[in-house]
Amino acid sequence: MSEYTPGVGQSHARAIATADSLKGIRRGIEKESLRARPNGQLALTPHPAALGAALTHPHITTDYSESQLELITGVHGDVEACLAELTEVHQGVYKVMQELGCCAQAQEEERLWVGSMPCELPTDETIPLGRYGKSNVGRSKSIYRMGLGQRYGRRMQTISGIHYNWSMPGVTSEQYFALIRNFRRHSFLLLYLFGASPALSSSFVEGREHRLQRFGEHSLYLPYATSLRMGRLGYQSDAQSALAVSYNCLNSYADSLQEALTRPYPPYAAIGVRNPGGDYNQLSTSLLQIENEFYGTIRPKRVVRSGERPLHALRERGVEYVEVRCMDLDPFMPVGINAQTARFLDVFLLHCLSSESPADTVAEITALGENQHLVAERGREPGLRLLDASAPGGSRLMGEWGAELLDQCAPFAALLDQAQGGQAHAEALAAARRTLAEPDSTPSARVLRAMAEKFDNRYVDFIRHQSEQTRQLLLGLPYSEAMAQKFAAEARDSVAAQQAIEAADLLPFDAYLQQYMAAEQIRV
């Protein structure tokens, strides 16, 4: 490790990245995708019953909308095994969609939308909210989504992405927060390398102010954009922009969020928890209804117990893993991500964990937000400079900064290859170097090029084509009877599990909600 000199000290890096700990790295993937009609419009049908109960299925749920699937893997020690499971879940979903499309009552076969930016959307109020049954927890999930729609509009919630969950044995909460601080400093590189949403359908921004340029019929873009999903028009909140959450330690993070979770926010108080008819508008009038409403490129996470608030779980038992949230769906990959990208994420996260990680400040937090928007909207622009208070003049070239980070990642790619065998991590790093040097090879550039060459610059037509190609590919893969039976059993078991939750409810919903939302539930 003689070439690794970020300033933290090589003994610290070695202490974290031991052979046993590297072999113990675990990851899981959550992948969101809209259900779309063959014509590129949002499917407004209910969550297919044959997929099981969205509340309780271990691998198939819905995100914001009833029309937005979230496919979830288990925890894996091997990248290929993780992607194999994600592929199998996709196969099961597509088989169900195919069967529904063949039914006499059905007129068309739905497919998963393979782009992060949504398909053609209906009016905002027509986008269906996720429904999770009549249990207290199920009703609260739907009301939370109602609140998101009230606060930000429903269209914004239809954006989809990849969440990459990552852990390594022996890592403390303090070390995870050090990782998170570095990740936030350097995640601009991931937006450049893997951002795949430089264009969108005009229906997404209908009635909103924007700076996008017309590209093709019903399509808008920015010429050097990498990830509009992570830009100002994406999954962002002006209300939260003033919330300077500190990641310096678990306590500072928890205290920052507690304030946002408990203090009423006047614009949301004006909406009210209930409407005049008594129906719920939202869970609360605070800046954040619950912890998951806080937007970020990465989150500290801990598996919660039944009825437990996420912040309480973190405070009581510490950070268990991190959730990377800035990855776009790659429309050129059958399940939105491939093994090489996952391995680069492993290298990148290990670098973030092992490097010196100074405390963050309010000024730095503001600068990081600006850098995110710069790369999301202008990442391939020649000569783009990012804010860096440590650099002469307070800024530096994005390309030079990115190259420096990749150089620093090299020892960690070597360590992972040494621990796991082969050269796959070194190859992932080499691919990242080529992409950094060749902006036209980025996924975002490839999307625009494909739109221009084959689809008259029309976003929806391009993603429709990619979605159909993906559907055919996945339906063409071997799908054994054992796989089908396992898939059906999981669906049946999830329905039974939801029914058991509903039968076990003892509190009236209003009392349940008051108890769950009480401030003491997020304290230890």
Side-chain angles (χ1 to χ4, degrees), residues 112-273:
L112 299 182
W113 192 250
V114 300
S116 277
M117 301 311 289
C119 54
E120 290 285 352
L121 296 175
T123 56
D124 200 74
E125 65 275 8
T126 310
I127 297 171
L129 304 178
R131 298 193 291 270
Y132 304 94
K134 61 184 181 181
S135 68
N136 287 336
V137 65
R139 289 183 62 190
S140 67
K141 288 171 72 71
S142 293
I143 293 169
Y144 168 59
R145 285 153 175 76
M146 175 68 76
L148 293 177
Q150 294 275 3
R151 295 168 176 221
Y152 316 114
R154 297 189 181 189
R155 286 194 180 103
M156 192 183 82
Q157 312 298 323
T158 60
I159 295 172
S160 297
I162 294 276
H163 297 169
Y164 193 76
N165 300 316
W166 189 90
S167 68
M168 193 168 80
V171 177
T172 66
S173 291
E174 181 182 3
Q175 290 169 328
Y176 275 127
F177 272 95
L179 179 160
I180 289 169
R181 292 194 299 276
N182 279 335
F183 184 94
R184 284 164 49 79
R185 291 175 177 121
H186 302 149
S187 58
F188 70 85
L189 182 59
L190 300 181
L191 301 190
Y192 171 87
L193 292 173
F194 305 113
S197 55
L200 49 77
S201 164
S202 57
S203 66
F204 178 73
V205 294
E206 186 175 343
R208 298 174 63 187
E209 293 185 5
H210 62 81
R211 297 181 294 179
L212 303 179
Q213 300 175 25
R214 184 179 176 84
F215 197 39
E217 186 178 10
H218 306 304
S219 299
L220 301 166
Y221 86 125
L222 288 175
Y224 297 109
T226 60
S227 177
L228 295 178
R229 167 179 170 263
M230 297 303 297
R232 289 177 175 84
L233 284 173
Y235 208 63
Q236 305 289 317
S237 164
D238 290 338
Q240 291 184 26
S241 62
L243 185 59
V245 171
S246 170
Y247 293 87
N248 286 333
C249 65
L250 176 53
N251 286 338
S252 65
Y253 174 79
D255 290 346
S256 299
L257 282 190
Q258 180 164 323
E259 174 78 6
L261 287 163
T262 55
R263 176 175 292 186
Y265 182 64
Y268 301 157
I271 296 172
V273 170

Side-chain angles (χ1 to χ4, degrees), residues 414-429:
L415 283 172
L416 285 166
D417 282 337
Q418 183 179 357
Q420 300 179 16
Q423 296 292 316
H425 297 90
E427 292 168 0
L429 181 59

